[in-house]
């Protein structure tokens, strides 16, 4: 990644961290398609490394609203899904991974936009955890299923609970990737260079997260994700 592309990516990370800090999701939807276009071999490691501190921050900020029961069932499904995601990452080529990222991004965004209101039960939470484990381990994108299952909950509950699920799953996914030699120094170095941008975006989100219009922001983020995902499908 050239210096110019790194700087451009850093500005994108500021935006993505701001959006996730304000709404509870959106970081991977914004960043993954762009990194997939620039350097797909950085995925999903760079996203996972960046999202761990971001989601720790969001979870701690609104820890009073965490739905631990829901997070527990999602994590149970996530354990199984992570192993499948690791297999997908090993079996799919770089070009195929770009197509997978683009397709999963568009599909997840469309589902999140179109799904009717519902109250998730235990089965739905476990299923969402499994799907998230597959998509986030393979591509770095795991937010839409979690946002979908929590989208009708109060904003603090959505943000904090999704953040807890993310942290647990991201640590698990990153650990398995490292254990199977799928993490390298270039990926870690790139993520560390982007950490200051992540911190700026996360801190900026603190100024608006209590006032942000969740449905409008969610629609804008998912609309951007659809456009980015289509672009990745076309160029991949």
């Amino acid at each position: 990644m050239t210096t110019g592309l790194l700087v451009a990516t850093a500005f994108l990370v500021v935006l993505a961290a701001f959006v996730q800090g304000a709404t509870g999701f959106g970081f991977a939807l914004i960043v993954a398609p762009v990194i997939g276009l620039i350097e797909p071999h950085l995925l999903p490691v760079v996203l996972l490394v960046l999202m761990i501190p971001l989601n720790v921050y969001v979870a701690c900020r609104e820890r009073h609203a965490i739905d631990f029961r829901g997070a527990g069932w999602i994590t149970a499904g996530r354990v199984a899904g992570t192993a499948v995601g690791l297999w997908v990452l090993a079996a799919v080529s770089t070009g195929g991974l770009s197509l997978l990222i683009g397709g999963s991004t568009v599909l997840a965004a469309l589902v999140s936009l179109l799904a009717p209101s519902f109250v998730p039960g235990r089965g739905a939470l476990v299923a969402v955890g499994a799907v998230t484990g597959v998509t986030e381990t393979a591509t770095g994108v795991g937010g839409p299923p979690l946002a979908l299952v929590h989208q009708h909950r109060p904003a603090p509950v959505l943000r904090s609970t999704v953040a807890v699920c993310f942290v647990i799953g991201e640590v698990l996914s990153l650990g398995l990737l490292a254990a199977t030699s799928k993490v390298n120094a270039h990926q870690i170095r790139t993520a560390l260079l982007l950490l200051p941008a992540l911190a700026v975006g996360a801190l900026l989100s603190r100024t608006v997260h209590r006032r942000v219009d969740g449905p409008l922001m969610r629609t804008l983020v998912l609309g951007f994700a659809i456009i980015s995902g289509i672009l990745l499908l076309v160029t991949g």
Side-chain angles (χ1 to χ4, degrees), residues 48 51-52 55 78 136 166-175:
L48 293 172
M51 289 181 70
I52 289 172
N55 285 301
R78 175 68 186 259
E136 191 167 34
F166 270 141
V167 171
I168 296 171
E170 286 151 5
V171 170
L172 178 61
S173 294
L174 194 59

Side-chain angles (χ1 to χ4, degrees), residues 53-68:
L54 173 60
N55 285 301
V56 167
Y57 169 73
V58 173
C60 290
R61 189 185 64 194
E62 296 182 285
R63 55 190 176 275
H64 63 280
I66 297 172
D67 175 10
F68 286 103

Side-chain angles (χ1 to χ4, degrees), residues 5 39 44 50 61 68 89 124 158 190 203:
L5 287 176
E39 283 196 53
L50 289 174
R61 189 185 64 194
F68 286 103
L89 186 63
L158 184 153
T190 302
L203 291 175

Side-chain angles (χ1 to χ4, degrees), residues 214-228:
L216 175 60
M217 180 66 82
R218 183 164 62 245
T219 300
L220 291 174
V221 170
L222 294 177
F224 178 86
I226 291 171
I227 295 172
S228 300

Side-chain angles (χ1 to χ4, degrees), residues 2-90:
T2 65
T3 301
L5 287 176
L6 183 63
V7 171
T9 304
F11 279 108
L12 192 68
V13 167
V14 172
L15 171 64
F18 172 80
V19 169
Q20 175 123 356
T23 67
F25 72 104
F27 185 87
L29 282 173
I30 293 173
V31 178
V34 176
I35 291 183
L37 287 171
I38 299 171
E39 283 196 53
H41 64 275
L42 292 175
L43 297 174
V45 175
V46 167
L47 287 182
L48 293 172
V49 172
L50 289 174
M51 289 181 70
I52 289 172
L54 173 60
N55 285 301
V56 167
Y57 169 73
V58 173
C60 290
R61 189 185 64 194
E62 296 182 285
R63 55 190 176 275
H64 63 280
I66 297 172
D67 175 10
F68 286 103
R69 176 183 173 277
W73 286 117
I74 288 172
T75 300
R78 175 68 186 259
V79 172
T82 298
V84 179
L86 190 63
W87 175 84
V88 170
L89 186 63

